[in-house]
DNA sequence: CGGTCTGTTGAAATTGATCAATACCGGTGG
DNA sequence: CCACCGGTATTGATCAATTTCAACAGACCG
């Protein structure tokens, strides 16, 4: 899995950036100037690199916060093609980023990136738009946690992950995708217990809506799932995404 | 309440921007060039102004999302001095902004603001840093919702609001502040029922930790409250905030 | 083949929701 | 000044969703 294609991350990053902004291939090409500084992380290894930004090349990462008594809150996942800053706003940070399984990142020095942004305003804009997309995902997370039931939360999250993986070409044609995340972590993401996550998947399986084995998910009936939770596809939010499909009566 | 001071919003905005970035008074002064375009909103009136940014001059606003069956999820509050973009990423938005009570905003056209940012990179940086602060608050919201109990959620939110109001000089010297928010809205913010919000306040009152009347809150024992929920003061996150107080053994 | 990590299942315990009645508070009009 | 009104908060009783605890089953790995 790790190391399957050396340049995929660039394509993925560009795909995302071009969806949220009007960055051209040509403008993006400037990033070729960056030294490809790769770093591999083991499962649950903390990714700490002040002064750098990370682009996920392979695997998943997660941002989380721990409480003194051991409770863990998982804020979001970063999937291949995602870019994020690793510099804490201020040292003494309480939230961390770790690798979900084995993961590989491309590290970009803040200074190098700022140089590129200064030279290419379009790139800077694209990056800010990407940050706004991140904020939107966090909003989804708040929606799930505040007013959706456990059943709805799981569905909503699966749809969002599927949606995001689709943007970077990592979902299968049969609505399937890899989700290398143990139930315990999903629980910490959705504010539930691992036990209830398990029960919810069982229910979804019984209802024929979702198939799931270890690390593999197949959405058997995306349309119904979308309706159940009123899921708002990311395409609707991307300035340069395709228009909403016909029949959207909302 | 509304209209008590005509220029306060500038001071408040500057105070916040200077805390998250190294914006100088002088650089900020450029915003004086903006026409002061005020708009008043009635309680729960939807604030819609594509192409504009809003600065809260007076009152509170809230961003929320409604579900088809009437459930409401409140994402965050915007307090006096807060600046935020009112342009939806794409039309057909599902989340809205409304006024909590009576509120007054200063509207700034996106174009005007971008002009200022182009002329003053420091201002642009400050704005982006402010956006990052917003994301951080959303992270707090996720923490509350995912892994804190009802009791802890209420405390954590009160501390955050107090903290934010302090940044713009709107909290009283006795740890008191105005919170013009009905229980129902707090419930929609914290993923609880209005009834349980009420019970939780009663408990906090009985424990002598918090005093609360309609729209007025007094934190009787901030230190204890902070400890209960491991609240991380914003100062710790602000690049230019004062250093953490001594005795922080964390 | 044993060890470890992850998922599943059942029973009991808990947190918080819901429903419904009542109290309160601030304003308004008589 | 008092009576009434609408909105909001409080209280009690009951109900439901989800947690916890604990045991067991599967998968993967050396």
């Amino acid at each position: 899995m790790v190391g399957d294609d050396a340049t995929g991350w660039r394509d993925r990053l560009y795909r995302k950036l071009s969806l949220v902004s009007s960055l051209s291939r040509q403008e993006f090409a400037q990033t070729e100037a960056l030294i490809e500084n790769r770093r591999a992380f083991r499962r649950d290894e903390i990714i700490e690199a002040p002064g750098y930004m990370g682009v996920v090349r392979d695997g998943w990462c997660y941002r989380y916060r721990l409480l003194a008594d051991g409770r863990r809150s998982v804020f979001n996942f970063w999937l291949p093609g995602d870019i994020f800053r690793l510099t804490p706003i201020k040292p003494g940070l309480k939230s961390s980023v770790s690798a979900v399984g084995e993961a590989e990142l491309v590290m970009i020095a803040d200074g190098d990136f700022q140089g590129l942004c200064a030279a290419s305003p379009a790139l800077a804009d694209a990056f800010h738009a990407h940050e706004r997309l991140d904020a939107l995902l966090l909003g989804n997370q708040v929606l799930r946690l505040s007013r959706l039931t456990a059943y709805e939360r799981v569905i909503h999250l699966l749809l969002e992950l599927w949606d995001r993986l689709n943007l970077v070409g990592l979902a299968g044609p049969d609505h399937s995708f890899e989700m290398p995340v143990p139930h315990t972590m999903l629980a910490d993401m959705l504010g539930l217990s691992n036990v209830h996550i398990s029960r919810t998947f069982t229910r979804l399986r019984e209802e024929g809506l979702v198939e799931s084995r270890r690390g593999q998910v197949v959405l058997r009936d995306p349309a119904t799932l979308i309706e159940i939770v009123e899921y708002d596809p990311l395409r609707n939010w991307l300035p340069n995404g395709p228009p909403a499909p016909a029949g959207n009566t909302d």
Side-chain angles (χ1 to χ4, degrees), chain A residues 6 23 29 48 64 77 84 88 111 114 126 141 163 178 182 213 235 241:
Chain A
L23 186 70
E48 218 178 345
Y64 63 98
F77 291 120
F84 52 92
Q114 275 163 25
Q141 176 71 348
D163 206 356
E178 307 235 345
R213 287 177 261 304
R235 335 189 71 84

Side-chain angles (χ1 to χ4, degrees), chain A residues 183 198 200-213:
Chain A
H183 284 184
S198 167
T200 305
F201 271 106
T202 305
R203 176 175 165 196
L204 286 168
R205 247 177 269 126
E206 286 168 357
E207 295 174 329
L209 291 170
V210 168
E211 246 175 69
S212 62
R213 287 177 261 304

Side-chain angles (χ1 to χ4, degrees), chain A residues 9-21 23 77-83 126 129-130 133-134 137 164-165 167-169 234 238-240:
Chain A
W9 69 273
R10 273 182 198 286
D11 289 332
R12 285 177 188 138
L13 177 57
Y14 174 66
R15 256 207 250 192
K16 290 197 65 179
L17 291 180
S18 67
L19 281 169
V20 297
S21 73
L23 186 70
F77 291 120
W78 275 310
L79 315 180
D82 280 335
I83 183 171
H130 187 276
L133 181 62
D134 257 8
L137 294 176
R164 288 174 65 189
L165 288 170
L167 291 185
V168 289
L234 291 176
L238 304 174
N240 302 311

Side-chain angles (χ1 to χ4, degrees), chain A residues 100-166:
Chain A
V100 171
E102 309 273 292
E104 207 168 298
L105 302 193
V106 174
M107 317 297 283
I108 300 175
D110 283 346
D112 295 351
F113 190 75
Q114 275 163 25
L116 284 182
C117 284
S120 162
L123 184 62
D125 284 352
F127 180 63
H128 288 132
H130 187 276
E131 281 193 319
R132 255 172 273 140
L133 181 62
D134 257 8
L136 190 147
L137 294 176
L138 219 45
N140 271 351
Q141 176 71 348
V142 169
L143 172 68
R144 280 190 287 266
L145 290 166
S146 69
R147 281 301 181 225
L148 298 195
T149 64
Y151 180 70
E152 293 167 326
R153 283 180 207 183
V154 170
I155 293 176
H156 198 279
L157 178 61
L158 291 178
L159 286 171
E160 185 185 285
L161 290 172
W162 177 55
D163 206 356
R164 288 174 65 189
L165 288 170
N166 256 320

